[in-house]
Amino acid sequence: MPRRRITQTDVAAMAGVSQATVSFVLNGSTPAGVRISEETRQRVLDAIRITGYTANPAAQRLAGGLAQILGVFTYEATFPRPSRDFYGPFLTGIEHAAERLGVDLLLFTSAPVEDGRRRLTREGWQRLGVADGCLLLGQHEHRGELQHLLDTNYPFVFIGKRGSDGGRLPYVGADYVSGTVRQIDRLVALGHRRIGYVGLRGTDQPTLDRVEGYRDAMKAHGLTTRFVELEDTAATAAEIVEQRFTAVVVAPENHPEELADELAARGVRVPDDVSVLLLGQPHHLRRGGRAWSGFSVPREEMGARALYLLSRLAADDGPRRERDARRPTAVTEAELHQVLACPDVEGATLAPPGRTAR
Amino acid sequence: MPRRRITQTDVAAMAGVSQATVSFVLNGSTPAGVRISEETRQRVLDAIRITGYTANPAAQRLAGGLAQILGVFTYEATFPRPSRDFYGPFLTGIEHAAERLGVDLLLFTSAPVEDGRRRLTREGWQRLGVADGCLLLGQHEHRGELQHLLDTNYPFVFIGKRGSDGGRLPYVGADYVSGTVRQIDRLVALGHRRIGYVGLRGTDQPTLDRVEGYRDAMKAHGLTTRFVELEDTAATAAEIVEQRFTAVVVAPENHPEELADELAARGVRVPDDVSVLLLGQPHHLRRGGRAWSGFSVPREEMGARALYLLSRLAADDGPRRERDARRPTAVTEAELHQVLACPDVEGATLAPPGRTAR
DNA sequence: TCAATCGGATGATGCGCATTATTAGCAGTC
DNA sequence: GACTGCTAATAATGCGCATCATCCGATTGA
């Protein structure tokens, strides 16, 4: 039982070669014109197998190589309750991908937290360096922070579409636009005409995309768009009644459960009187919550795809390899900006227009 | 905007001192008889502030220092599914602690998975080295794997009590014994006499402790212990009826919801006819699940306390510091084996003995 | 006056690895 | 026989940091 780390030098000694040779064998390719005979290669591989050698990630990283560590930076706390429900699925996907890739995950929990949001500071940025690359998730505000990443050519991938910054930001997002369009289509197909959009306006990408989808679809069907954007759930419910909507599409962060309660309090049943389609999974789970119809964001898949992409970027962009540009594995433009489809959810809140309204 | 990492050498240059001096200032203590004047110290600190220097964790680690990275090794997938969100609460606590400690978390997702369980192999063990220490959570089976950790003096802490291995394993656990005793006490105080224990016998520590608590408490009250350990929920329910229990304590992994369903199917109401106390939080959450009485395991606190302990162990045990044994911060024996209290939960499944039985 | 002491700091070294520069051996060429 | 060209490998270097051994000037003690 070795009490000390097993190093390449140990392996080299056993195989009767130099440490450099071991490194070459391990890294396969030989940047310079270095060649290793098949026989030597086998001797080294055997020695590795026997000794159970595994590279020291710290050393690999320090020497400018890849450590098989990928970072995860969340702009909000990762695990605490509400966010656990939100980030959870992403992380599940990320973990799966990490397992497949044989990679460890580094959570940057050391970044300073201000007002519940984590900041990617100049100092924090330096700590990213231990990882080969980094996943970013959550709403970021200080875009200046990203400049470092761009400047230094550090590999990173956003989870969630990023329309800003002239398409320079790699991301894996969800297709909120098509998803929303499809919901309107479903409603119209059932006979709905007065379809409202419930949700606060924001400048975040999901909101922009939902609104775009709603606008486009309503226009395509020749219907009038009507927005309900009140802070207060009760007021929102009242407005829904007032406007005589037969259906509404709701952004999921708007406490749909409470909205349903308020509607019920006004004698309005879902979906008998008003259909409610959710544009994404509910953010706040509740005991005995109902089965919402609408679409769901493929969070697990997004997480996994993002990590795969990051892994590729890291392999390409690897520290000292910026020179030999195009190679068989080069990441394509299309890969850099992926938008995944949001499947429809068949819940229990969709029905033809009720007798009450209309 | 620096495109390159800022190193201690940069800081040293700005402060007009040597790199070594910067290192000394940063590490506070001066192992050898090295002294730094207050004036120089300030110059260095200023330079650090101005440059925004942060240590390169990889280099720190390689040089035998602490990288402010703590590892988390879970013997099962870390982020499975919301429905079986077991690790979630632990991670919440861990993350909180990590934030406070200013430490990053490394998840060892690269470890090979066999039959859904992660293995801590000889190779995997070497990868732990990037972190200053490691948290271990979940049921481990291959105890041989731990030998490496023990041998190499690598700092680690188990989450969950570990009775085995002669108390050499540091852990932060929960007091299942007292928790269970208190549940029996509550039941007896209400007048219950026929109190059954429902749950499969296992050799895992929680089970052993629950059984011990049940045994001790029942004995103390002069009551007869009765165990129901059937795989099948329906059969278990039948047995409960058969035995004319007025109350049962149930290990939470035994699908209490389904058990309640089965009881209801037999005309037995909870808690009117049978009180049911859960010995820990339910493992499988369910929509509209009921509010169980019993006790809860302080998972978040366990996670946090474990990380704090690990942090201290790492600081003490730090790579090259094994010599100067006792120091003001030395970890005490008591800290190495913590057992946290499990608070009672006032749910809706506890009531005096019903009229049906007895 | 010279050695011993001490405060204050520097130089050198190595951690384990990736990579570049260099060497050794050998077959073929003019 | 000196030269080229090629294969197969090694030596040497540096990544950024912690640490040990050393050094220098100024006191101090005898």
Side-chain angles (χ1 to χ4, degrees), chain B:
Chain B
M1 288 297 122
R3 289 165 187 287
R4 205 173 49 77
R5 287 199 61 87
I6 292 166
T7 71
Q8 288 191 350
T9 308
D10 298 329
V11 174
M14 170 174 283
V17 298
S18 70
Q19 174 264 319
T21 301
V22 175
S23 178
F24 287 137
V25 168
L26 281 169
N27 292 307
S29 66
T30 53
V34 179
R35 267 127 240 259
I36 306 290
S37 72
E38 184 54 28
E39 190 207 321
T40 304
R41 228 177 69 80
Q42 279 309 324
R43 280 219 316 286
V44 171
L45 290 176
D46 288 345
I48 287 175
R49 205 163 301 119
I50 294 170
T51 55
Y53 166 82
T54 295
N56 178 338
Q60 282 184 124
R61 205 54 199 151
L62 190 60
L66 298 179
Q68 308 297 23
I69 294 177
L70 293 179
V72 177
F73 188 98
T74 55
Y75 284 93
E76 291 94 27
T78 315
F79 311 114
R81 226 136 282 267
S83 59
R84 205 190 167 295
D85 188 11
F86 184 70
Y87 287 130
F90 289 121
L91 290 170
T92 303
I94 293 172
E95 184 183 14
H96 264 121
E99 273 178 7
R100 289 178 179 283
L101 291 170
V103 156
D104 289 327
L105 293 175
L106 184 56
L107 307 185
F108 294 106
T109 44
S110 69
V113 176
E114 290 173 10
D115 307 327
R117 318 200 84 262
R118 233 168 336 238
R119 298 256 343 249
L120 189 49
T121 62
R122 190 158 56 131
E123 291 79 15
W125 162 73
Q126 298 227 51
R127 284 189 68 88
L128 297 187
V130 226
D132 303 335
C134 185
L135 240 41
L136 268 358
L137 56 173
Q139 288 292 124
H140 73 292
E141 326 231 308
H142 312 265
R143 70 172 40 190
E145 298 178 346
L146 298 179
Q147 206 50 49
H148 282 298
L149 303 183
L150 261 3
D151 286 350
T152 53
N153 207 28
Y154 182 79
F156 68 96
V157 171
F158 267 101
I159 291 189
K161 185 170 146 192
R162 285 300 182 284
S164 52
D165 295 84
R168 302 180 56 199
L169 308 181
Y171 64 77
V172 173
D175 193 350
Y176 281 94
V177 179
S178 313
T180 303
V181 167
R182 281 204 320 279
Q183 302 320 305
I184 303 300
D185 289 348
R186 290 167 84 181
L187 288 169
V188 171
L190 281 179
H192 289 275
R193 293 295 175 269
R194 290 187 72 83
I195 305 171
Y197 179 100
V198 174
L200 294 176
R201 304 296 270 275
T203 57
D204 57 305
Q205 198 62 49
T207 296
L208 294 177
D209 289 351
R210 287 188 191 107
V211 170
E212 179 185 333
Y214 172 68
R215 278 232 163 81
D216 290 357
M218 292 298 274
K219 188 171 185 181
H221 290 293
L223 302 176
T224 312
T225 59
R226 298 168 211 270
F227 293 90
V228 181
E229 40 179 333
L230 303 172
E231 285 275 3
D232 184 39
T233 311
T236 301
E239 182 71 8
I240 289 174
V241 174
E242 171 76 18
Q243 295 260 357
R244 292 183 296 115
F245 289 131
T246 64
V248 288
V249 289
V250 182
E253 58 268 29
N254 293 288
H255 303 272
E257 296 288 358
E258 296 176 20
L259 183 60
D261 289 348
E262 291 290 347
L263 284 173
R266 286 166 177 72
V268 178
R269 292 161 303 167
V270 174
D272 308 11
D273 301 319
V274 175
S275 288
V276 177
L277 295 190
L278 230 51
L279 309 177
Q281 296 92 324
H283 283 200
H284 308 268
L285 294 179
R286 176 157 110 178
R287 302 197 146 216
R290 62 179 76 201
W292 297 98
S293 302
F295 68 78
S296 75
V297 179
R299 300 209 274 239
E300 295 193 15
E301 194 188 345
M302 286 170 70
R305 294 275 281 265
L307 199 74
Y308 286 131
L309 172 56
L310 178 61
S311 169
R312 302 212 39 205
L313 286 177
D316 276 21
D317 252 46
R320 297 185 182 176
R321 313 195 177 179
E322 327 179 21
R323 304 96 198 253
D324 56 332
R326 91 194 73 69
R327 53 169 74 187
T329 60
V331 176
T332 67
E333 267 302 314
E335 283 181 275
L336 284 181
H337 303 108
Q338 302 179 37
V339 179
L340 308 185
C342 296
D344 283 347
V345 173
E346 307 301 338
T349 60
L350 171 62
R355 47 236 112 103
T356 308
R358 186 131 225 236

Side-chain angles (χ1 to χ4, degrees), chain A residues 41-54:
Chain A
R41 227 177 70 82
Q42 279 308 326
R43 280 221 313 288
V44 171
L45 289 178
D46 288 344
I48 288 174
R49 205 164 301 120
I50 293 170
T51 55
Y53 165 83
T54 295

Side-chain angles (χ1 to χ4, degrees), chain A residues 71-229:
Chain A
V72 177
F73 188 98
T74 54
Y75 283 95
E76 292 93 27
T78 317
F79 302 123
R81 251 293 141 177
S83 22
R84 194 159 73 225
D85 296 330
F86 185 72
Y87 285 129
F90 289 121
L91 290 170
T92 302
I94 292 172
E95 184 183 14
H96 264 118
E99 274 178 8
R100 288 178 178 283
L101 291 170
V103 157
D104 289 327
L105 292 175
L106 184 56
L107 306 185
F108 293 106
T109 44
S110 69
V113 175
E114 292 173 9
D115 307 326
R117 319 200 82 263
R118 255 202 277 268
R119 298 253 346 247
L120 189 49
T121 62
R122 191 158 54 129
E123 290 80 13
W125 162 72
Q126 298 225 53
R127 284 189 68 88
L128 296 188
V130 226
D132 303 335
C134 184
L135 240 41
L136 269 0
L137 56 171
Q139 287 293 124
H140 73 291
E141 326 230 307
H142 312 267
R143 71 171 40 189
E145 298 178 347
L146 297 179
Q147 205 52 48
H148 281 298
L149 303 183
L150 261 3
D151 286 349
T152 54
N153 206 29
Y154 181 79
F156 67 96
V157 171
F158 267 101
I159 291 189
K161 187 169 146 190
R162 286 301 183 284
S164 54
D165 295 82
R168 301 181 56 199
L169 308 182
Y171 64 77
V172 173
D175 193 350
Y176 282 93
V177 180
S178 313
T180 303
V181 167
R182 281 205 319 277
Q183 303 319 306
I184 304 299
D185 289 350
R186 290 169 84 181
L187 289 169
V188 171
L190 282 178
H192 290 275
R193 292 296 175 268
R194 291 186 72 84
I195 305 172
Y197 179 101
V198 173
L200 295 176
R201 304 297 269 274
T203 56
D204 56 307
Q205 198 62 48
T207 296
L208 294 177
D209 289 352
R210 287 187 191 109
V211 170
E212 180 185 332
Y214 173 70
R215 280 231 162 83
D216 289 357
M218 293 296 275
K219 188 171 184 183
H221 290 293
L223 302 176
T224 313
T225 59
R226 297 168 212 271
F227 293 90
V228 181
E229 38 179 334

